[in-house]
Amino acid sequence: MFSRSLFKAVVKAPIINTTVRRAVSPCSPLSASLPLGYHFIHTSKLQNQELQTQTESQTQTATTPVASGVEVPDLTPLKYETDLYASIKIHNRPYLVTKGDEVILPFHMKHAEIGDVLNFNDVTTIGSRNYTYNQPSIDPSFFNIKGVVLEKTKKPMYVKEITKRRNRRVRHVQVKHDITIVRISDLEITI
């Protein structure tokens, strides 16, 4: 008699290809400003203490209280930057975009027509080469990010092999996924 724990099901999630077409070339200075990886800095204990005191003093002056009790962050370093990027969420999927990018969304936007202007409100990060502002959800009054729907089409057709467990038969299915292309037309700080 076989136990069920020996035969574990392998569940594969569908792979969804999302693409962001950059408006700049990969060797431009803007592409170097995007957060592509981590940089590790090895410092001594004295330098670590100095860095901690600097960051504490910066965090204390980074927000200014307002009379209504809401703290507004000091985003003046971002206001005067020319190359900004933002991490926006569309249907709970993050996209890292700059102004002029074409975002290829892997679904059909039902209520948006070609030429419609979309206002993105769900933003987690706004930054530039020198300064980054991260929050789980940034207040939409701090920024203005808009996109124009360029195209609603389908990907090229391809053949997908579908199999089931413990079955030798392979089905071949022709697949054409819906896509929506949005160009980021406006990305600015309003504070």
Side-chain angles (χ1 to χ4, degrees):
M1 184 138 179
F2 295 105
S3 68
R4 281 299 225 193
S5 63
L6 294 176
F7 300 102
K8 292 185 180 176
V10 177
V11 178
K12 292 186 179 179
I15 298 173
I16 300 172
N17 294 328
T18 57
T19 310
V20 175
R21 292 185 203 157
R22 294 280 172 217
V24 294
S25 66
C27 354
S28 69
L30 177 62
S31 62
S33 69
L34 298 176
L36 298 176
Y38 296 99
H39 300 286
F40 295 101
I41 301 171
H42 300 285
T43 58
S44 66
K45 289 182 181 179
L46 181 62
Q47 290 173 336
N48 283 336
Q49 290 174 355
E50 291 174 1
L51 288 173
Q52 286 177 352
T53 56
Q54 287 175 357
T55 54
E56 287 172 3
S57 64
Q58 288 175 355
T59 55
Q60 290 173 357
T61 60
T63 58
T64 55
V66 179
S68 65
V70 177
E71 291 189 1
V72 178
D74 184 23
L75 298 177
T76 52
L78 282 177
K79 235 178 163 177
Y80 301 110
E81 291 285 337
T82 57
D83 300 326
L84 291 175
Y85 68 88
S87 176
I88 62 176
K89 286 189 176 181
I90 303 171
H91 290 286
N92 212 15
R93 293 181 183 155
Y95 297 92
L96 185 69
V97 297
T98 61
K99 185 175 179 179
D101 284 352
E102 289 182 358
V103 182
I104 300 175
L105 304 173
F107 50 85
H108 179 76
M109 292 186 98
K110 189 174 183 179
H111 299 290
E113 297 298 324
I114 296 173
D116 286 353
V117 177
L118 304 175
N119 194 9
F120 299 107
N121 292 330
D122 194 5
V123 176
T124 58
T125 303
I126 297 178
S128 66
R129 178 184 295 245
N130 301 320
Y131 186 80
T132 302
Y133 180 62
N134 292 325
Q135 289 293 324
S137 180
I138 299 176
D139 187 15
S141 64
F142 297 164
F143 59 87
N144 185 15
I145 301 176
K146 292 184 179 177
V148 178
V149 178
L150 296 181
E151 197 175 340
K152 291 168 74 173
T153 184
K154 290 181 177 276
K155 283 187 173 181
M157 185 179 295
Y158 67 96
V159 177
K160 183 178 179 181
E161 292 182 347
I162 297 178
T163 61
K164 292 184 178 179
R165 288 180 293 145
R166 297 181 295 276
N167 193 349
R168 292 182 183 164
R169 192 176 69 135
V170 177
R171 282 192 308 155
H172 297 279
V173 178
Q174 294 179 346
V175 180
K176 283 180 78 169
H177 292 292
D178 293 322
I179 60 172
T180 304
I181 300 177
V182 177
R183 173 174 281 141
I184 304 298
S185 60
D186 195 13
L187 196 153
E188 63 185 7
I189 303 294
T190 58
I191 288 186

PDB file of all heavy atoms in Angstrom, residues 142-161:
ATOM      1  N   PHE A 142       1.074  63.727  -3.666  1.00  0.00           N
ATOM      2  CA  PHE A 142       2.496  64.056  -3.744  1.00  0.00           C
ATOM      3  C   PHE A 142       3.040  63.971  -5.165  1.00  0.00           C
ATOM      4  O   PHE A 142       4.111  64.487  -5.446  1.00  0.00           O
ATOM      5  CB  PHE A 142       3.328  63.128  -2.863  1.00  0.00           C
ATOM      6  CG  PHE A 142       3.012  63.226  -1.391  1.00  0.00           C
ATOM      7  CD1 PHE A 142       3.444  62.242  -0.531  1.00  0.00           C
ATOM      8  CD2 PHE A 142       2.295  64.277  -0.868  1.00  0.00           C
ATOM      9  CE1 PHE A 142       3.162  62.304   0.825  1.00  0.00           C
ATOM     10  CE2 PHE A 142       2.009  64.347   0.486  1.00  0.00           C
ATOM     11  CZ  PHE A 142       2.451  63.357   1.333  1.00  0.00           C
ATOM     12  N   PHE A 143       2.356  63.281  -6.077  1.00  0.00           N
ATOM     13  CA  PHE A 143       2.919  63.021  -7.400  1.00  0.00           C
ATOM     14  C   PHE A 143       1.827  63.065  -8.453  1.00  0.00           C
ATOM     15  O   PHE A 143       0.638  63.118  -8.147  1.00  0.00           O
ATOM     16  CB  PHE A 143       3.609  61.651  -7.433  1.00  0.00           C
ATOM     17  CG  PHE A 143       2.697  60.506  -7.108  1.00  0.00           C
ATOM     18  CD1 PHE A 143       1.939  59.897  -8.088  1.00  0.00           C
ATOM     19  CD2 PHE A 143       2.584  60.037  -5.807  1.00  0.00           C
ATOM     20  CE1 PHE A 143       1.092  58.858  -7.793  1.00  0.00           C
ATOM     21  CE2 PHE A 143       1.743  58.992  -5.499  1.00  0.00           C
ATOM     22  CZ  PHE A 143       0.988  58.400  -6.495  1.00  0.00           C
ATOM     23  N   ASN A 144       2.268  63.048  -9.713  1.00  0.00           N
ATOM     24  CA  ASN A 144       1.358  63.026 -10.848  1.00  0.00           C
ATOM     25  C   ASN A 144       1.959  62.079 -11.886  1.00  0.00           C
ATOM     26  O   ASN A 144       2.952  62.409 -12.515  1.00  0.00           O
ATOM     27  CB  ASN A 144       1.194  64.439 -11.415  1.00  0.00           C
ATOM     28  CG  ASN A 144       0.178  64.490 -12.517  1.00  0.00           C
ATOM     29  OD1 ASN A 144      -0.609  63.568 -12.691  1.00  0.00           O
ATOM     30  ND2 ASN A 144       0.192  65.568 -13.271  1.00  0.00           N
ATOM     31  N   ILE A 145       1.363  60.898 -12.029  1.00  0.00           N
ATOM     32  CA  ILE A 145       1.838  59.907 -13.002  1.00  0.00           C
ATOM     33  C   ILE A 145       0.662  59.557 -13.901  1.00  0.00           C
ATOM     34  O   ILE A 145      -0.361  59.070 -13.434  1.00  0.00           O
ATOM     35  CB  ILE A 145       2.387  58.643 -12.310  1.00  0.00           C
ATOM     36  CG1 ILE A 145       3.542  59.002 -11.393  1.00  0.00           C
ATOM     37  CG2 ILE A 145       2.820  57.626 -13.350  1.00  0.00           C
ATOM     38  CD1 ILE A 145       4.079  57.851 -10.591  1.00  0.00           C
ATOM     39  N   LYS A 146       0.835  59.832 -15.199  1.00  0.00           N
ATOM     40  CA  LYS A 146      -0.227  59.567 -16.159  1.00  0.00           C
ATOM     41  C   LYS A 146       0.318  58.733 -17.303  1.00  0.00           C
ATOM     42  O   LYS A 146       1.499  58.802 -17.626  1.00  0.00           O
ATOM     43  CB  LYS A 146      -0.795  60.878 -16.711  1.00  0.00           C
ATOM     44  CG  LYS A 146      -1.535  61.678 -15.680  1.00  0.00           C
ATOM     45  CD  LYS A 146      -2.149  62.904 -16.267  1.00  0.00           C
ATOM     46  CE  LYS A 146      -2.897  63.669 -15.184  1.00  0.00           C
ATOM     47  NZ  LYS A 146      -3.463  64.898 -15.680  1.00  0.00           N
ATOM     48  N   GLY A 147      -0.581  57.952 -17.896  1.00  0.00           N
ATOM     49  CA  GLY A 147      -0.218  57.130 -19.040  1.00  0.00           C
ATOM     50  C   GLY A 147      -1.322  57.152 -20.080  1.00  0.00           C
ATOM     51  O   GLY A 147      -2.490  57.319 -19.756  1.00  0.00           O
ATOM     52  N   VAL A 148      -0.940  56.966 -21.341  1.00  0.00           N
ATOM     53  CA  VAL A 148      -1.894  56.965 -22.443  1.00  0.00           C
ATOM     54  C   VAL A 148      -1.957  55.554 -23.014  1.00  0.00           C
ATOM     55  O   VAL A 148      -0.923  54.930 -23.255  1.00  0.00           O
ATOM     56  CB  VAL A 148      -1.455  57.958 -23.540  1.00  0.00           C
ATOM     57  CG1 VAL A 148      -2.421  57.929 -24.713  1.00  0.00           C
ATOM     58  CG2 VAL A 148      -1.349  59.351 -22.979  1.00  0.00           C
ATOM     59  N   VAL A 149      -3.153  55.045 -23.222  1.00  0.00           N
ATOM     60  CA  VAL A 149      -3.329  53.721 -23.811  1.00  0.00           C
ATOM     61  C   VAL A 149      -3.029  53.829 -25.300  1.00  0.00           C
ATOM     62  O   VAL A 149      -3.701  54.548 -26.038  1.00  0.00           O
ATOM     63  CB  VAL A 149      -4.763  53.195 -23.585  1.00  0.00           C
ATOM     64  CG1 VAL A 149      -4.942  51.837 -24.236  1.00  0.00           C
ATOM     65  CG2 VAL A 149      -5.076  53.120 -22.101  1.00  0.00           C
ATOM     66  N   LEU A 150      -1.966  53.130 -25.739  1.00  0.00           N
ATOM     67  CA  LEU A 150      -1.565  53.183 -27.143  1.00  0.00           C
ATOM     68  C   LEU A 150      -2.219  52.095 -27.977  1.00  0.00           C
ATOM     69  O   LEU A 150      -2.614  52.344 -29.116  1.00  0.00           O
ATOM     70  CB  LEU A 150      -0.041  53.034 -27.264  1.00  0.00           C
ATOM     71  CG  LEU A 150       0.821  54.120 -26.667  1.00  0.00           C
ATOM     72  CD1 LEU A 150       2.277  53.802 -26.905  1.00  0.00           C
ATOM     73  CD2 LEU A 150       0.484  55.456 -27.283  1.00  0.00           C
ATOM     74  N   GLU A 151      -2.308  50.894 -27.408  1.00  0.00           N
ATOM     75  CA  GLU A 151      -2.711  49.764 -28.224  1.00  0.00           C
ATOM     76  C   GLU A 151      -3.360  48.695 -27.358  1.00  0.00           C
ATOM     77  O   GLU A 151      -2.940  48.465 -26.233  1.00  0.00           O
ATOM     78  CB  GLU A 151      -1.446  49.197 -28.885  1.00  0.00           C
ATOM     79  CG  GLU A 151      -1.648  48.312 -30.048  1.00  0.00           C
ATOM     80  CD  GLU A 151      -0.316  47.930 -30.684  1.00  0.00           C
ATOM     81  OE1 GLU A 151       0.700  48.605 -30.478  1.00  0.00           O
ATOM     82  OE2 GLU A 151      -0.332  46.912 -31.382  1.00  0.00           O
ATOM     83  N   LYS A 152      -4.381  48.041 -27.902  1.00  0.00           N
ATOM     84  CA  LYS A 152      -4.987  46.869 -27.273  1.00  0.00           C
ATOM     85  C   LYS A 152      -4.995  45.785 -28.341  1.00  0.00           C
ATOM     86  O   LYS A 152      -5.740  45.872 -29.310  1.00  0.00           O
ATOM     87  CB  LYS A 152      -6.412  47.191 -26.818  1.00  0.00           C
ATOM     88  CG  LYS A 152      -6.459  48.156 -25.657  1.00  0.00           C
ATOM     89  CD  LYS A 152      -7.839  48.668 -25.409  1.00  0.00           C
ATOM     90  CE  LYS A 152      -8.699  47.625 -24.777  1.00  0.00           C
ATOM     91  NZ  LYS A 152     -10.011  48.134 -24.366  1.00  0.00           N
ATOM     92  N   THR A 153      -4.134  44.797 -28.173  1.00  0.00           N
ATOM     93  CA  THR A 153      -3.941  43.801 -29.221  1.00  0.00           C
ATOM     94  C   THR A 153      -3.670  42.444 -28.596  1.00  0.00           C
ATOM     95  O   THR A 153      -3.870  42.249 -27.407  1.00  0.00           O
ATOM     96  CB  THR A 153      -2.802  44.243 -30.158  1.00  0.00           C
ATOM     97  OG1 THR A 153      -2.686  43.322 -31.220  1.00  0.00           O
ATOM     98  CG2 THR A 153      -1.482  44.323 -29.432  1.00  0.00           C
ATOM     99  N   LYS A 154      -3.185  41.514 -29.415  1.00  0.00           N
ATOM    100  CA  LYS A 154      -2.840  40.181 -28.941  1.00  0.00           C
ATOM    101  C   LYS A 154      -1.386  39.890 -29.277  1.00  0.00           C
ATOM    102  O   LYS A 154      -0.835  40.452 -30.219  1.00  0.00           O
ATOM    103  CB  LYS A 154      -3.719  39.126 -29.595  1.00  0.00           C
ATOM    104  CG  LYS A 154      -5.162  39.175 -29.132  1.00  0.00           C
ATOM    105  CD  LYS A 154      -5.971  38.096 -29.800  1.00  0.00           C
ATOM    106  CE  LYS A 154      -7.387  38.096 -29.285  1.00  0.00           C
ATOM    107  NZ  LYS A 154      -7.556  37.372 -28.059  1.00  0.00           N
ATOM    108  N   LYS A 155      -0.779  39.006 -28.496  1.00  0.00           N
ATOM    109  CA  LYS A 155       0.571  38.542 -28.793  1.00  0.00           C
ATOM    110  C   LYS A 155       0.520  37.620 -30.009  1.00  0.00           C
ATOM    111  O   LYS A 155      -0.541  37.106 -30.360  1.00  0.00           O
ATOM    112  CB  LYS A 155       1.140  37.768 -27.602  1.00  0.00           C
ATOM    113  CG  LYS A 155       1.610  38.629 -26.478  1.00  0.00           C
ATOM    114  CD  LYS A 155       2.296  37.765 -25.448  1.00  0.00           C
ATOM    115  CE  LYS A 155       2.929  38.619 -24.391  1.00  0.00           C
ATOM    116  NZ  LYS A 155       3.620  37.818 -23.402  1.00  0.00           N
ATOM    117  N   PRO A 156       1.670  37.361 -30.620  1.00  0.00           N
ATOM    118  CA  PRO A 156       1.670  36.395 -31.723  1.00  0.00           C
ATOM    119  C   PRO A 156       1.265  35.004 -31.236  1.00  0.00           C
ATOM    120  O   PRO A 156       1.540  34.614 -30.094  1.00  0.00           O
ATOM    121  CB  PRO A 156       3.123  36.392 -32.201  1.00  0.00           C
ATOM    122  CG  PRO A 156       3.710  37.641 -31.684  1.00  0.00           C
ATOM    123  CD  PRO A 156       2.956  38.008 -30.456  1.00  0.00           C
ATOM    124  N   MET A 157       0.625  34.254 -32.123  1.00  0.00           N
ATOM    125  CA  MET A 157       0.158  32.919 -31.755  1.00  0.00           C
ATOM    126  C   MET A 157       1.342  31.966 -31.604  1.00  0.00           C
ATOM    127  O   MET A 157       2.292  32.013 -32.375  1.00  0.00           O
ATOM    128  CB  MET A 157      -0.792  32.379 -32.833  1.00  0.00           C
ATOM    129  CG  MET A 157      -1.421  31.052 -32.455  1.00  0.00           C
ATOM    130  SD  MET A 157      -2.555  30.454 -33.700  1.00  0.00           S
ATOM    131  CE  MET A 157      -3.805  31.693 -33.632  1.00  0.00           C
ATOM    132  N   TYR A 158       1.261  31.107 -30.605  1.00  0.00           N
ATOM    133  CA  TYR A 158       2.257  30.053 -30.433  1.00  0.00           C
ATOM    134  C   TYR A 158       1.548  28.788 -29.970  1.00  0.00           C
ATOM    135  O   TYR A 158       0.392  28.828 -29.543  1.00  0.00           O
ATOM    136  CB  TYR A 158       3.361  30.474 -29.461  1.00  0.00           C
ATOM    137  CG  TYR A 158       2.922  30.664 -28.025  1.00  0.00           C
ATOM    138  CD1 TYR A 158       3.066  29.639 -27.101  1.00  0.00           C
ATOM    139  CD2 TYR A 158       2.390  31.875 -27.587  1.00  0.00           C
ATOM    140  CE1 TYR A 158       2.673  29.808 -25.787  1.00  0.00           C
ATOM    141  CE2 TYR A 158       1.997  32.053 -26.283  1.00  0.00           C
ATOM    142  CZ  TYR A 158       2.148  31.019 -25.387  1.00  0.00           C
ATOM    143  OH  TYR A 158       1.761  31.182 -24.096  1.00  0.00           O
ATOM    144  N   VAL A 159       2.249  27.685 -30.059  1.00  0.00           N
ATOM    145  CA  VAL A 159       1.675  26.391 -29.697  1.00  0.00           C
ATOM    146  C   VAL A 159       2.183  26.004 -28.317  1.00  0.00           C
ATOM    147  O   VAL A 159       3.384  26.017 -28.053  1.00  0.00           O
ATOM    148  CB  VAL A 159       2.051  25.303 -30.733  1.00  0.00           C
ATOM    149  CG1 VAL A 159       1.518  23.958 -30.309  1.00  0.00           C
ATOM    150  CG2 VAL A 159       1.520  25.689 -32.102  1.00  0.00           C
ATOM    151  N   LYS A 160       1.253  25.657 -27.450  1.00  0.00           N
ATOM    152  CA  LYS A 160       1.582  25.289 -26.079  1.00  0.00           C
ATOM    153  C   LYS A 160       1.248  23.817 -25.883  1.00  0.00           C
ATOM    154  O   LYS A 160       0.196  23.346 -26.326  1.00  0.00           O
ATOM    155  CB  LYS A 160       0.743  26.148 -25.128  1.00  0.00           C
ATOM    156  CG  LYS A 160       1.024  25.933 -23.679  1.00  0.00           C
ATOM    157  CD  LYS A 160       0.164  26.891 -22.862  1.00  0.00           C
ATOM    158  CE  LYS A 160       0.394  26.693 -21.400  1.00  0.00           C
ATOM    159  NZ  LYS A 160      -0.430  27.585 -20.591  1.00  0.00           N
ATOM    160  N   GLU A 161       2.167  23.097 -25.234  1.00  0.00           N
ATOM    161  CA  GLU A 161       1.932  21.682 -24.944  1.00  0.00           C
ATOM    162  C   GLU A 161       1.307  21.554 -23.569  1.00  0.00           C
ATOM    163  O   GLU A 161       1.833  22.060 -22.583  1.00  0.00           O
ATOM    164  CB  GLU A 161       3.242  20.900 -24.988  1.00  0.00           C
ATOM    165  CG  GLU A 161       3.839  20.804 -26.360  1.00  0.00           C
ATOM    166  CD  GLU A 161       5.098  19.975 -26.376  1.00  0.00           C
ATOM    167  OE1 GLU A 161       5.645  19.683 -25.287  1.00  0.00           O
ATOM    168  OE2 GLU A 161       5.547  19.622 -27.470  1.00  0.00           O
TER     169      GLU A 161
END
